[in-house]
């Protein structure tokens, strides 16, 4: 395994008790955010000149396997699925199915989509740049910056970013009934405070700092911190600190607009009732998620973003190290600060985030050196089979061709066909209970 963790792995699924992670904030480098931003711009055009080859120590992507994985996603009910690999300057694109079921337009890797929780990595970068600027400290109580906001002074900024605050995830209740829940918030505009108030109706789920439990509420509070400390809207901060410096042409934060600007794939939400038709969920405010999940982007832009992040273009080394202090999620996954780690079957670990927003599943991950990245998207959700199938795009992108066809009594018993079906693919995705229908 490539990665190391502060705490042991192999812990049981679900909430994981931890000893307190006392990770001191590293001394920030003297590089300013503006300097890093300008070097980020240069580096995106000079990837091929790097002395580190993405191929080093990593097998070539299995493009045939990738295509088969996307076909399997369609077989499980996704109208379309696509993936783009950026491998040290070489681009591979794969797409299957449609972006629009009415017109039949084929899905394309150039299509924009809703990235869901990949937004959390953007929010984290903004907040950690503020840490770098000395405007807040990771191990200080959130209530120091937003007096009286949270019910417990023990909740620190680090607890929010690593999902260890104990703040209840209000989306558990909001989307208990999938389509009615979605329709009830589709056109709604919430303030961040209103979302936090929904969470605070329930007591803390755990003692702050002790337990990893994924909760959108954490990143709602991160959004509040960003707005309070900068005096600007979230959209302004994403634009000035990440989107503009990295020249992410397809990335935007248009909340509360309901339309996805430019060419995009439609999103199709699967209802809970068996056999009920998919619901076109493309248009929505995503106000229920905001800094936890409301960004729009493309496969190219997300590859650029995570590659730049892991290559140290957005944060100084000390803070990038902090982002990679892992809390175990399950036997092959860890959560850092707004960043996921997944350990693949070939021993390679990859870094990025996943996203689930009605009608869209996203996986966006990069190698440790940021030289090879993949973003894979299916235009459906509430379908755990599609979610599980799409995880296999990472195996195809980073592990190369599987050594041998799966054999044995359990082969293909629980996952549908296609490559990697039986080979060390985590069946448990870290999402709130009941979030994806089986
Ligand atoms: C909300 C419901 C899912 C989705 C959610 N999404 O919390 C956040 C996110 C923003 O992306 N988190 C994921 C709905 C887990 C991540 O980090 O990868 N499901 C759907 C239901 C289930 O409504 N009843 O599947 O579209």
């Amino acid at each position: 395994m490539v990665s190391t963790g502060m705490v042991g792995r192999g812990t049981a699924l679900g909430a994981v008790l931890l000893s307190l992670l006392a990770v001191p904030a590293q001394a920030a480098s003297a590089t300013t955010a503006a300097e890093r931003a300008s070097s980020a711009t240069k580096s995106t055009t000079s990837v091929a000149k790097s002395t580190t080859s993405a191929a080093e120590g990593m097998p070539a992507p299995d493009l045939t396997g990738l295509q088969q994985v996307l076909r399997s996603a369609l077989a499980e009910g996704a109208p379309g699925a696509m993936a783009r690999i950026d491998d040290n300057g070489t681009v591979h694109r794969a797409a299957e199915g449609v972006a629009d079921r009415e017109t039949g337009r084929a899905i394309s890797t150039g299509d924009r989509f809703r990235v869901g929780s990949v937004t959390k990595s953007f929010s984290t970068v903004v907040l950690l740049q503020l840490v770098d600027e000395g405007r807040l400290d990771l191990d200080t109580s959130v209530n120091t910056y937003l007096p009286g906001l949270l019910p417990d002074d023990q909740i620190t900024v680090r607890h929010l970013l690593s999902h260890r605050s104990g703040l209840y995830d209000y989306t558990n209740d909001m989307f208990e009934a999938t389509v009615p829940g979605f329709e009830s918030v589709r056109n709604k505009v919430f303030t961040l405070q209103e979302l936090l108030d929904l969470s605070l109706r329930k007591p803390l789920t755990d003692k702050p700092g002790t337990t990893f439990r994924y909760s959108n509420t954490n990143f709602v509070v991160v959004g509040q911190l960003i707005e309070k400390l900068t005096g600007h809207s979230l959209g302004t901060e994403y634009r000035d600190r990440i989107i503009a410096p990295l020249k992410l042409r397809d990335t935007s934060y248009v909340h509360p607009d309901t339309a996805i600007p430019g060419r995009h794939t439609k999103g199709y939400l699967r209802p809970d009732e068996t056999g009920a038709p998919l619901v076109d969920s493309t248009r929505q405010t995503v106000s229920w998620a905001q800094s936890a999940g409301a960004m729009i982007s493309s496969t190219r832009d997300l590859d650029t973003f995570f590659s730049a992040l892991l290559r140290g273009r957005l944060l100084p080394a000390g803070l990038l190290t902090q982002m990679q202090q892992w809390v175990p999620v399950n036997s092959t996954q860890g959560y850092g600060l707004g960043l996921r780690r997944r350990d693949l079957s070939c021993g390679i670990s990859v870094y990025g985030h996943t996203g689930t927003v009605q009608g869209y599943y996203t996986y966006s991950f990069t190698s440790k050196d940021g030289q090879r990245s993949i973003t894979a998207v299916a235009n459906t959700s509430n379908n755990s089979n599609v979610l599980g199938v799409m995880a296999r795009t990472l195996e195809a992108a980073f592990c190369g061709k599987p050594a041998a066809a799966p054999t044995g009594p359990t082969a293909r018993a629980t996952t549908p066909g296609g490559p990697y079906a039986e080979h060390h693919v985590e069946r448990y995705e870290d999402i709130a209970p009941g979030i994806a229908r089986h």
Side-chain angles (χ1 to χ4, degrees):
M1 293 295 169
V2 170
S3 65
T4 55
M6 288 279 305
V7 287
R9 294 203 240 116
T11 323
L13 306 184
V16 179
L17 279 175
L18 299 168
S19 53
L20 278 174
L21 285 179
V23 188
Q26 305 266 312
S29 90
T31 322
T32 65
E35 282 164 349
R36 277 192 303 282
S38 110
S39 74
T41 309
K42 282 180 223 131
S43 71
T44 52
T45 54
S46 63
V47 164
K49 290 187 204 126
S50 164
T51 49
T52 314
S53 159
E56 266 174 34
M58 226 190 285
D62 175 8
L63 301 176
T64 313
L66 181 66
Q67 202 84 37
Q68 283 172 7
V69 172
L70 300 182
R71 277 188 210 126
S72 296
L74 263 59
E76 292 296 343
M82 60 178 170
R84 170 176 165 137
I85 297 172
D86 282 83
D87 186 17
N88 203 12
T90 302
V91 180
H92 304 285
R93 298 177 182 83
E96 291 283 335
V98 296
D100 185 328
R101 296 174 79 221
E102 279 170 29
T103 66
R105 181 173 77 76
I107 199 167
S108 151
T109 52
D111 290 348
R112 297 175 186 173
F113 53 90
R114 299 194 183 282
V115 309
S117 287
V118 181
T119 306
K120 292 182 170 76
S121 301
F122 283 75
S123 301
T124 302
V125 166
V126 171
L127 200 70
L128 292 182
Q129 288 191 356
L130 296 173
V131 170
D132 184 36
E133 292 159 18
R135 293 156 84 172
L136 82 165
D137 183 86
L138 277 174
D139 296 304
T140 297
S141 167
V142 172
N143 282 348
T144 303
Y145 307 107
L146 294 163
L149 186 77
L150 301 182
D152 191 329
D153 286 342
Q154 303 291 315
I155 299 173
T156 66
V157 176
R158 191 189 299 275
H159 295 159
L160 298 176
L161 294 171
S162 56
H163 293 291
R164 290 181 296 131
S165 67
L167 289 166
Y168 178 76
D169 190 346
Y170 58 89
T171 61
N172 292 337
D173 305 322
M174 197 176 258
F175 301 125
E176 199 179 330
T178 302
V179 174
F182 170 62
E183 295 296 357
S184 75
V185 297
R186 168 179 206 142
N187 293 306
K188 227 167 167 164
V189 181
F190 295 97
T191 63
L192 292 169
Q193 185 64 47
E194 284 169 340
L195 296 175
L196 175 62
D197 289 344
L198 290 177
S199 163
L200 295 182
R201 286 183 194 167
K202 299 269 169 69
L204 293 184
T205 52
D206 309 279
K207 186 175 168 332
T210 63
T211 307
F212 171 81
R213 199 183 298 277
Y214 194 90
S215 172
N216 288 307
T217 311
N218 291 312
F219 281 78
V220 166
V221 180
V222 167
Q224 290 181 288
L225 281 168
I226 291 170
E227 288 189 347
K228 171 76 189 288
L229 292 166
T230 64
H232 299 143
S233 68
L234 289 167
T236 299
E237 291 300 316
Y238 294 137
R239 187 194 64 210
D240 291 355
R241 292 175 180 274
I242 304 172
I243 297 171
L246 294 181
K247 295 188 170 36
L248 305 180
R249 295 199 301 271
D250 301 315
T251 305
S252 59
Y253 184 81
V254 299
H255 174 265
D257 285 359
T258 56
I260 300 178
R263 198 179 74 177
H264 60 274
T265 175
K266 286 190 170 178
Y268 295 95
L269 176 63
R270 181 183 166 181
D272 293 330
E273 299 73 27
T274 306
L278 296 174
V279 172
D280 180 343
S281 51
T282 314
R283 292 186 77 105
Q284 66 154 314
T285 59
V286 206
S287 198
W288 61 268
Q290 300 188 55
S291 39
M295 291 193 84
I296 292 161
S297 191
S298 66
T299 56
R300 175 191 58 195
D301 280 4
L302 290 188
D303 281 358
T304 301
F305 169 67
F306 280 116
S307 171
L309 176 62
L310 268 289
R311 285 184 295 125
R313 308 300 190 203
L314 291 168
L315 294 171
L319 286 169
L320 190 54
T321 302
Q322 296 295 310
M323 250 184 130
Q324 297 174 79
Q325 305 294 334
W326 307 111
V327 176
V329 171
N330 58 30
S331 62
T332 58
Q333 296 182 32
Y335 203 94
L337 302 182
L339 189 70
R340 290 186 186 277
R341 188 203 73 236
R342 294 179 74 112
D343 308 325
L344 304 180
S345 64
C346 51
I348 289 172
S349 293
V350 292
Y351 308 85
H353 217 287
T354 46
T356 303
V357 61
Q358 289 84 1
Y360 302 93
Y361 281 140
T362 303
Y363 285 84
S364 187
F365 284 83
T366 193
S367 54
K368 184 78 180 171
D369 62 4
Q371 299 285 358
R372 187 185 295 177
S373 309
I374 182 172
T375 297
V377 179
N379 60 1
T380 196
S381 68
N382 196 39
N383 183 331
S384 62
N385 284 350
V386 171
L387 187 65
V389 163
M390 291 300 286
R392 296 189 224 146
T393 59
L394 305 182
E395 294 282 322
F398 295 101
C399 292
K401 288 193 190 307
T407 53
T410 60
R412 301 178 197 279
T414 52
T415 48
Y420 323 109
E422 293 305 313
H423 194 50
H424 189 86
V425 173
E426 194 64 63
R427 301 223 165 71
Y428 161 66
E429 291 297 329
D430 170 38
I431 53 177
I435 248 174
R437 183 174 168 257
H438 290 271

